[in-house]
Amino acid sequence: MSQQPKISAQGLNLTFQTNDGPVHALKDVDLNIEEGEFVSFIGPSGCGKTTFLRCIAGLETPTAGALSVNGMTADEARRSRAYGYVFQHAGLYPWRTIGGNIRLPLEIMGYSKADQSERVAKTLEMVDLAGFEKKYPWQLSGGMQQRASIARALAFDAEILLMDEPFGALDEIVRDHLNEQLLQLWAQTKKTIAFVTHSIPEAVYLSTKIVVMSPRPGRITDIIDSPLPAERPLDLRETPEFLDIAHRVREGLRAGHSYD
């Protein structure tokens, strides 16, 4: 692990000015994410989870505090393409094939045609979609579309992967399968992952660290370092260790609500 955290926030605040007055989205957020960690953010709707992810991505500007991403400002990290971003919905262009969708950021970045083809083939293999390059998004299931979206975020090999509830709209069986696949992908690529979710089991199953957030203004109420092993079969979720962490997350969410 490097000396400097991959993502570091100190005293981070963000207030939106609206017609109804100021909205305090984030308040005094202190957090370090180390290289290679898988960090989940969990909390009720409107607690600032996605807002914090957007700050890391340089898509929102904090009103106070300090934030560094990959050793630079969030804006510099965005311009140097230090991260891939996976949204809640796959967001694939329907007129482009799956290969064409994955190729898009590579085209924008000016990769050669040969390099584009190699990277598309490699990332499709990674997300178990080899052979689907010429299909269109409407020909794929929701879970497959989301895997294609992950492949697109991985194509240019950024060190950080930002994921905003990527499996939230999928049914539980598909979600379980994609959770397993994501852990395999993370082990394979050694990316640093920041992952937003509403699901306690998902947060506990995936993460090396779980950040529990309170309702607006979004504060961190608990940071849990997971003692679970790196190898995580799905039935791990029935073990006492897993249930203990899930209980602590639930208690953290409840404590956050008691501020109201």
Side-chain angles (χ1 to χ4, degrees), residues 2 38 46-47 53 57 59 74 81 86 88-89 109 130-131 138 141 143 153 166 176 189 192-193 209 212 220 257:
S2 61
F38 194 126
C47 74
L53 213 63
L59 301 174
R81 303 181 172 104
V86 182
Q88 192 166 358
H89 302 288
M109 292 179 200
W138 56 268
S141 69
D176 283 353
T189 61
T192 304
I193 300 181
K209 183 187 282 181
V212 184
I220 293 175
H257 271 283

Side-chain angles (χ1 to χ4, degrees), residues 58-59 89 95 123 129 151 159 246:
L59 301 174
H89 302 288
W95 60 87
T123 50
L129 283 177
E159 293 173 36

Side-chain angles (χ1 to χ4, degrees), residues 10 28 34 49 54 65 74 108 118-119 125 131 141-143 166 172 174 189 191 211-212 221 225 235:
Q10 277 121 28
D28 301 333
E34 305 296 338
K49 304 182 297 293
R54 287 176 61 82
I108 292 166
E118 193 181 311
R119 284 168 178 266
E125 190 84 42
S141 69
E172 201 170 346
V174 174
T189 61
K191 303 284 181 208
V211 176
V212 184
T221 56
D225 286 306
D235 57 12

Side-chain angles (χ1 to χ4, degrees), residues 7 31-42 52-53 56 161-163 186 191-197 202-203 206-212 220 222-225:
I7 298 165
L31 182 69
N32 286 335
I33 298 176
E34 305 296 338
E35 186 175 346
E37 282 196 301
F38 194 126
V39 180
S40 283
F41 295 85
I42 189 164
F52 184 60
L53 213 63
I56 296 169
L161 198 53
L162 305 176
M163 308 185 81
W186 174 61
K191 303 284 181 208
T192 304
I193 300 181
F195 185 96
V196 167
T197 180
E202 185 170 68
L206 290 174
S207 317
T208 57
K209 183 187 282 181
I210 304 151
V211 176
V212 184
I220 293 175
D222 199 5
I223 299 174
I224 303 162
D225 286 306

Side-chain angles (χ1 to χ4, degrees), residues 12 21 64 114 131 164 171 214 218 221 240 245:
L12 204 71
D164 187 5
D171 70 60
S214 71
T221 56
I245 304 167

Side-chain angles (χ1 to χ4, degrees), residues 51-177:
T51 302
F52 184 60
L53 213 63
R54 287 176 61 82
C55 286
I56 296 169
L59 301 174
E60 300 287 358
T61 307
T63 40
L67 178 64
S68 76
V69 181
N70 218 20
M72 52 192 113
T73 69
D75 199 45
E76 286 166 344
R78 179 177 57 79
R79 288 202 298 270
S80 70
R81 303 181 172 104
Y83 64 82
Y85 203 119
V86 182
F87 296 91
Q88 192 166 358
H89 302 288
L92 301 171
Y93 292 111
W95 60 87
R96 276 187 167 241
T97 60
I98 296 305
N101 271 283
I102 295 167
R103 197 174 284 112
L104 185 60
L106 303 173
E107 288 173 7
I108 292 166
M109 292 179 200
Y111 283 87
S112 71
K113 286 274 195 292
D115 204 359
Q116 286 177 31
S117 299
E118 193 181 311
R119 284 168 178 266
V120 169
K122 183 180 159 195
T123 50
L124 280 171
E125 190 84 42
M126 271 185 187
V127 299
D128 205 17
L129 283 177
F132 287 88
E133 185 177 348
K134 292 184 166 59
K135 299 282 188 196
Y136 285 88
W138 56 268
Q139 294 175 297
L140 271 58
S141 69
M144 290 167 86
Q145 287 184 32
Q146 205 52 304
R147 271 155 47 202
S149 173
I150 292 168
R152 181 176 56 190
L154 290 170
F156 52 96
D157 208 23
E159 293 173 36
I160 298 167
L161 198 53
L162 305 176
M163 308 185 81
D164 187 5
E165 282 196 80
F167 310 138
L170 303 172
D171 70 60
E172 201 170 346
I173 295 165
V174 174
R175 191 172 184 152
D176 283 353
H177 179 56

